Each structure stands twice: as C-alpha cells, then as structure tokens.
Amino acid sequence: MTSPERSETVHKPPVAYDAVVLAGGAARRLGGVDKPGIRVGGRALLDRVLGACADARTTVVVADPRPTARPVAWAREDPPGGGPLAALDAGVRHTDADRLVVLSADLPFLQEPTVRRLLDALAQAPADGALLTDPDGRDQPLVAAYRAEPLRRTLAGLAAEHGGSLTGLPLRRLTATLDLIRIADPVASFDCDTWDDIAAARARIREHGHVLEEWISVVKDELGIDLDVDFRGLLDVARDAAHGVARPAAPLTTFLVGYAAAQAGGGPEAVAEASRKATALALRWAEENADDKPDQKPDQKADGKPGRKPDERPDQEAAPKADQQTGRRTGKQPDADRANQANPAPGAAG
C-alpha cells in the first residue's frame, strides 16, 4: 500500500486481496450438471472466473477439488451443500487479506478490470463492501469486494443467531447487514442459472465485436501465456504480408513475429518491435512489386514471356495457320470442315 506521506500524484500499486469463489452449488435448474465445468467460449465457467481474479494473493475455491487453469486452495462447507453463506464462511476462513473478493463460479463475462473497479470503489469510500447489481437493480453479493473485518464479524453474528450454523441462510441476510456500495453492470453481473443463460452467453461470445478478444483470451489460457496481446497490430501485420507478398505469408509472418519476440525476451514491447520490422519489410516488398508492373506490356507476363490475351481461354485450341506457299490451312481441322470436303454442296464442284 502507498504510505500516507507520499504525494497523491504517485501511481498507487493495486490493492492486495484474497479471492473466494463459490463453486459447489447443486445447479438444480440445470438438471444437476457440473455447472462450473460447463464450457463457454472454449473455457470452463470456473476457469473464466479464476482468470478474472488471477492477481489475488490467495484464491480459495469452495467445492470439491478438480483440475483448474491455475493453482488454487480448496475448501468445503460442513455439511456440503449448506448454502452460499455457509460456503462463504468456509472460504473466508482460509484467507487473511484485508480485502476479499467474493465471486460465484458462473460468471462468463467477468473480467479483471471489473474486479479492480470493485476494489477501487471500496478503497475510495468508508463502506463495508462494493457489489454489482443486475439489470433489474438486484444485488449480486457474489460479485463483490468486501473489507474482511466487517464481513467476518457479520458472518459470525449470523451464525450465533442461528445456533452456530449458517446452513440454509440466504445471502440477503448478509447484504441487509453491511454498508454496501452498489455498481450497475448488466454484463459482468450476468450469471448462468439455466440452459437458456448458457446459450445466451455462448452466442454473445461469438458475436463479431467480441469473438477476437474472447479467442485470444482462451488461447492465452490454454498455452499458459500471460501477455497483453495487441491483436489489432498483429492483424495489420498479417494483412500487409497477405497483400504485399502472398496470402500464405500472413500466418507464417505472424508466427515468425511471435518467435522473434520470444527470442528477444518476450513482452508487449518485443512483439511491437517485431511487428514493426515485419510490416516494414512487407511494405518494401509490395513497393518493389509495384515498381516492376509499369514496365510490363499488357500481353506480357511478369517473367517476360508472352501472356494470354484477355479473351483467350487456356483450353482454347490454336486457330489453324495458313501455309505460306499454298495458302491452305494447316493443323487439325474441325469435324465440320472434313464433312464439307467429303460431301461438297451442289454447284461447288468445278
């Protein structure tokens, strides 16, 4: 954290936090399937949420252990299936940060900037927490950032009121007690409770305006790459290589750009520099090709050999040539000419 005596103009480092992700629900409206494992845009819902809180000091997933895209700690409420408040309490017990981000595992559109926005809102006001609201204005307490002390105190108080157990208690008992900042975000707060929700999430991800960002994010996760990719710059490189050289040069050039960037130590700067060099080369290649074309005759190929006339088909036979001495045509005669010679028309014979 930035010390109080520092000037406010100094860039403050991100607030340290722990994350608790609830992933052990019964998913009754989905027929009891493994909801956190359902894939949207090529990634399990749980992995998408874990990507949004990747910079947490500790991430605790409250569910039975399973393979995940990144390492996490595991916890389970006792008894299992005791509801969201009991699960939240089980996860919080494995954390020690002053700030806690609490998330459900069914948020297909949650991204790191939203998590950071919640933490920033909490840092700028003396509230107990900051949460998102859905399009209908309803609180989403499982897309929220909380101060750890009041959250722990409230959970303990609710448990004491109910015989030491939080089993079966609804989340609204938590939100009714805490002082909360509310932030409207209809996209990041979208959760998948039904198959229609899953279908809507998959359709949105494949929309033209989102598909490239989603695809790049999925590929980075799959390959274990943590890099801000200027994919528009890479698309420009591919375009220039395709137009200035040849279409197959596009994927080959972008591969070589990535390889060169890795050889240079990786990072956005290395990618940008390799892209700049490849683009400049492709443009020089195109300029040389353009300089050669004005000297080319209309009926001549680039290799200097006579070219085919525009109206001449490649499968068209050459017209019969005339013999210079007899004036008679040579070469293969069409079948109609041979037929006319064999059966001359009346009056044609001399």
Side-chain angles (χ1 to χ4, degrees):
M1 301 270 304
T2 304
S3 58
E5 62 271 13
R6 283 192 178 185
S7 169
E8 292 184 359
T9 60
V10 177
H11 176 70
K12 296 181 179 180
V15 176
Y17 71 96
D18 290 342
V20 177
V21 180
L22 306 191
R28 292 183 180 87
R29 283 186 280 178
L30 286 170
V33 301
D34 175 26
K35 181 164 70 169
I38 294 176
R39 294 186 177 275
V40 174
R43 279 191 295 175
L45 283 170
L46 175 57
D47 285 336
R48 298 183 73 89
V49 173
L50 292 178
C53 58
D55 58 347
R57 294 191 324 174
T58 299
T59 299
V60 182
V61 178
V62 185
D64 293 329
R66 66 171 69 219
T68 53
R70 68 179 181 85
V72 299
W74 298 94
R76 201 71 167 106
E77 72 274 24
D78 187 18
L85 270 187
L88 175 57
D89 183 62
V92 168
R93 292 175 183 273
H94 290 76
T95 65
D96 59 10
D98 293 334
R99 304 286 189 274
L100 297 176
V101 169
V102 176
L103 306 168
S104 62
D106 60 353
L107 301 164
F109 304 123
L110 182 68
Q111 296 182 340
E112 187 275 335
T114 300
V115 171
R116 187 55 56 190
R117 181 154 57 107
L118 289 167
L119 289 165
D120 289 345
L122 185 59
Q124 295 169 12
D128 296 330
L131 54 72
L132 297 189
T133 59
D134 68 11
D136 297 323
R138 292 174 295 195
D139 289 347
Q140 299 296 310
L142 298 184
V143 198
Y146 298 97
R147 298 186 193 276
E149 193 278 327
L151 178 61
R152 294 176 188 274
R153 185 178 65 245
T154 301
L155 290 171
L158 289 171
E161 293 174 9
H162 294 83
S165 174
L166 294 171
T167 299
L169 293 182
L171 283 167
R172 63 176 177 272
R173 297 295 299 273
L174 178 70
T175 56
T177 305
L178 297 173
D179 176 23
L180 300 171
I181 300 167
R182 290 167 171 82
I183 301 173
D185 192 329
V187 176
S189 66
F190 182 89
D191 56 359
C192 294
D193 292 325
T194 68
W195 286 113
D196 285 344
D197 294 336
I198 296 292
R202 288 171 171 168
R204 177 181 172 83
I205 281 176
R206 285 170 171 76
E207 289 177 1
H208 179 70
H210 306 278
V211 66
L212 286 179
E213 291 91 339
E214 290 291 342
W215 174 245
I216 292 297
S217 179
V218 171
V219 172
K220 288 196 300 183
D221 283 351
E222 188 70 17
L223 299 180
I225 299 172
D226 184 14
L227 174 69
D228 291 331
V229 178
D230 178 14
F231 69 88
R232 299 189 190 282
L234 289 174
L235 288 177
D236 288 342
V237 173
R239 177 202 62 206
D240 292 335
H243 292 175
V245 184
R247 286 187 179 181
L252 296 173
T253 304
T254 52
F255 165 78
L256 293 173
V257 164
Y259 191 86
Q263 292 288 90
E269 296 81 7
V271 174
E273 177 62 14
S275 297
R276 184 192 64 77
K277 290 181 178 179
T279 296
L281 178 61
L283 294 177
R284 291 198 303 270
W285 187 292
E287 288 172 1
E288 291 177 8
N289 188 43
D291 290 342
D292 289 342
K293 287 183 179 179
D295 297 331
Q296 183 177 322
K297 296 179 181 179
D299 61 342
Q300 191 175 43
K301 295 182 181 178
D303 57 6
K305 297 179 181 180
R308 192 181 296 121
K309 293 180 180 180
D311 60 347
E312 182 179 343
R313 297 195 336 238
D315 59 344
Q316 189 176 25
E317 293 181 350
K321 299 178 181 179
D323 185 276
Q324 293 181 355
Q325 294 181 350
T326 64
R328 299 182 62 175
R329 291 187 300 173
T330 61
K332 186 176 180 180
Q333 292 178 314
D335 292 341
D337 288 350
R338 291 199 299 269
N340 289 338
Q341 291 176 3
N343 302 288

